[in-house]
Amino acid sequence: MRGRIRRVITLATGATFLVTLLAYVAFDAGPLHAASCIVDGRNGWFVEYPPGLEIPADVEAVIRAETSCVPIELRYVDYDEVAEGHLITEPCCRDWFTPGDSAIFWVEGSPDQAVEECRLLEPDRTPRVDCPGGPVRAKPAPGQ
């Protein structure tokens, strides 16, 4: 009798473990995904970018290869410095993301996509024309 109870308990424990593992692997989304990100990201994530990334899909592929716990945000500007749909500044080296962070990338877009017309590309650059702190476009003289 004891042997049968022990076998039933062992089988039930093993079946529970297998079902839990299958649910985690098959349905790693929603609450399960959030819980795994909390556990996996106690100290955050490093993401290392290879050189030459020019489009958001390349950056997303790199991040997804390293973790699925860092959300990616694309924000658009209209600077006409690179082709539309390309990154304004290439991500460099390694980034550290803490749990809850998101990776924000600035992408060249159309004027109606642009969300921050006066955003500086880099801290040491001067602001764009007609933006606070930048050069002012010359106004035509009266009568011209």
Side-chain angles (χ1 to χ4, degrees):
M1 182 75 163
R2 278 190 181 170
R4 189 186 317 216
I5 292 173
R6 198 174 291 162
R7 269 188 261 133
V8 169
I9 290 173
T10 303
L11 284 173
T13 304
T16 303
F17 175 77
L18 287 175
V19 167
T20 304
L21 183 63
L22 178 65
Y24 176 79
V25 170
F27 304 106
D28 185 22
L32 281 176
H33 184 260
S36 72
C37 286
I38 289 170
V39 171
D40 292 344
R42 289 185 306 270
N43 299 318
W45 294 269
F46 275 115
V47 174
E48 191 158 350
Y49 306 107
L53 298 176
E54 295 180 5
I55 57 175
D58 294 342
V59 175
E60 186 167 6
V62 167
I63 291 175
R64 291 295 154 251
E66 297 184 25
T67 179
S68 62
C69 296
V70 177
I72 297 171
E73 289 183 47
L74 301 179
R75 296 187 183 168
Y76 291 87
V77 292
D78 180 32
Y79 289 170
D80 293 327
E81 293 195 12
V82 296
E84 274 195 25
H86 282 64
L87 298 173
I88 290 292
T89 54
E90 181 180 320
C92 174
C93 316
R94 284 168 63 137
D95 272 341
W96 168 259
F97 297 99
T98 58
D101 277 355
S102 61
I104 300 172
F105 298 99
W106 294 92
V107 180
E108 180 70 43
S110 63
D112 56 321
Q113 287 177 311
V115 293
E116 290 189 38
E117 293 178 22
C118 290
R119 181 185 176 280
L120 291 176
L121 291 178
E122 296 166 356
D124 58 345
R125 283 203 182 173
T126 57
R128 294 176 45 96
V129 173
D130 292 334
C131 288
V136 178
R137 185 173 291 139
K139 296 189 177 146
Q144 288 186 352

